[in-house]
Amino acid sequence: MKLKSLALCSAMAVFAALGFTVQSSAQQVQNQFITFNVAGAGTNSGQGTVPRSINQQSWITGEYYDSSVAVHGFVRAPDGTITTFDVPGASKDNGQGTYPRSINPSGTIVGFYYDASHIVVSTRGFVRAADGTITTFDAGPNLGTIPLSINQSGQITGAYASHGFVRAPDGTVTTFDAGTIVTVPTSINPSGAVTGWYTDASFVSHGFVRDIDGTITKFDAASQSFTYPRSINPAGRITGDYFDGSSHGFVRDIDGTITKFDAGPHDTTSMSINPGGKVAGYYFDLGNLVHGFVRAANGQTTTFEVPGAGGTFFGDGTIPQSINPSGAITGLYTDSNGAYHGFLREPDDAEDSES
């Protein structure tokens, strides 16, 4: 299951009281890695701790799956303290629950949850302030809101039904469409520029960037491919991946120039880009296990494994999710039983010297 099930959760997302504080269990440091687990996370295959986003101060947010595969949110402080939380009223049936997706410099977290108060359980958005206060919202009159990214001023972007949206700090929501079928914004930078992907009438996926004035520019990373932008940095550089029978990474500069790359022998997925242009993501080896990478702005690529990462299923291994301005990376890895664990990787001196 592993990576496939995590992707399924995201695909389902697209188409309770406030938390209490506990200490993370069995934290381990090896070289530049810190591994951690949320107390209460399950230890069987498809259960465990799944970090999603790291901010400038190395606060980390994500979800964890308990022994019944109910899903809860968490935030990890730089000192290792972990606070868990559930959005009040969130359903916890059949893998449902609270799904944090992004944390900004002030510690505000955005994400979505499955609302159990309606006949048909569906997703709604939430914002969790640094003090633990949770505000829920819908981007439109119907259910189906999936926030995915928040910037330092509190602007939020994500998907609503088949549309994209931007939510201002005062709660005002603007919806938009980049294409004719589905629009999925994935990232918003400090100035309010948004990137993401849309599908056309032939159900082919293309990339877009939406400027702060609402102008939408569409692009493809390669011809005859499916393009999936995932992250935009303050300078407007975008990273993501495209699929032409296998997956490859790309970086798109502000002038539209696209650089394609592969981090390993098979299926590169580029997840996050920081202000310096460093990219974090993962690739598959020929045995269908996953390895992490960090790619400097000059194209120099470093691959890595979290100590103890393993597994035997498709998509097991080391799976980076987010990189912060200093080059610290968070994500998850699987153990030999297929359970998820969180990690924090600090950059080494060699990476710091890359330009």
Side-chain angles (χ1 to χ4, degrees):
M1 196 259 338
K2 311 322 148 271
L3 195 60
K4 291 179 73 175
S5 70
L6 293 176
L8 178 60
C9 288
S10 296
M12 289 174 62
V14 166
F15 285 40
L18 297 179
F20 55 92
T21 301
V22 297
Q23 291 294 325
S24 59
S25 62
Q27 190 161 273
Q28 181 182 11
V29 181
Q30 292 189 8
N31 299 323
Q32 59 197 138
F33 290 94
I34 297 173
T35 62
F36 61 92
N37 300 293
V38 178
T43 58
N44 293 323
S45 178
Q47 303 171 3
T49 301
V50 181
R52 295 290 184 178
S53 179
I54 183 171
N55 73 4
Q56 283 83 335
Q57 297 80 28
S58 290
W59 288 75
I60 295 169
T61 195
E63 77 264 19
Y64 70 97
Y65 299 75
D66 65 24
S67 59
S68 64
V69 201
V71 186
H72 316 269
F74 77 87
V75 57
R76 180 187 184 273
D79 68 0
T81 303
I82 292 178
T83 300
T84 62
F85 63 92
D86 294 298
V87 176
S91 169
K92 299 180 182 65
D93 293 334
N94 301 318
Q96 298 169 357
T98 297
Y99 290 81
R101 280 298 176 267
S102 181
I103 184 169
N104 74 4
S106 68
T108 302
I109 295 168
V110 71
F112 61 93
Y113 71 102
Y114 284 84
D115 184 4
S117 65
H118 296 265
I119 296 175
V120 177
V121 176
S122 188
T123 56
R124 303 184 68 191
F126 76 85
V127 181
R128 182 186 186 273
D131 66 1
T133 303
I134 293 176
T135 301
T136 62
F137 70 93
D138 299 304
N142 301 312
L143 297 177
T145 296
I146 307 165
L148 294 173
S149 181
I150 184 170
N151 68 11
Q152 58 193 37
S153 66
Q155 292 176 298
I156 296 166
T157 197
Y160 161 66
S162 61
H163 314 284
F165 75 86
V166 174
R167 181 182 187 269
D170 66 2
T172 302
V173 174
T174 301
T175 60
F176 66 92
D177 294 297
T180 55
I181 303 298
V182 175
T183 297
V184 183
T186 55
S187 181
I188 186 167
N189 74 4
S191 69
V194 172
T195 195
W197 54 271
Y198 70 94
T199 56
D200 63 22
S202 299
F203 295 96
V204 175
S205 301
H206 310 270
F208 73 86
V209 57
R210 180 183 185 270
D211 293 333
I212 57 175
D213 65 0
T215 301
I216 293 175
T217 301
K218 304 175 182 181
F219 66 90
D220 293 302
S223 61
Q224 296 182 331
S225 68
F226 295 75
T227 298
Y228 299 98
R230 300 182 188 275
S231 178
I232 183 169
N233 75 2
R237 299 185 83 187
I238 295 168
T239 197
D241 44 273
Y242 67 96
F243 182 79
D244 61 1
S246 60
S247 296
H248 314 271
F250 74 84
V251 174
R252 181 185 187 271
D253 289 327
I254 188 69
D255 65 0
T257 302
I258 291 177
T259 302
K260 308 168 191 176
F261 67 91
D262 293 296
H266 189 54
D267 281 343
T268 294
T269 298
S270 182
M271 293 295 295
S272 181
I273 186 168
N274 75 2
K278 287 185 177 180
V279 172
Y282 55 89
Y283 68 93
F284 283 77
D285 65 23
L286 297 179
N288 287 323
L289 296 180
V290 182
H291 311 268
F293 75 84
V294 56
R295 181 184 186 272
N298 65 3
Q300 181 67 39
T301 300
T302 302
T303 62
F304 62 88
E305 305 290 338
V306 177
T312 58
F313 295 96
F314 176 90
D316 280 345
T318 297
I319 310 167
Q321 297 286 296
S322 180
I323 184 169
N324 76 0
S326 70
I329 297 170
T330 196
L332 64 143
Y333 70 97
T334 57
D335 63 24
S336 59
N337 294 321
Y340 308 134
H341 308 271
F343 75 85
L344 169 64
R345 179 187 185 271
E346 297 291 352
D348 60 25
D349 293 340
E351 291 171 17
D352 288 338
S353 67
E354 292 168 354
S355 61

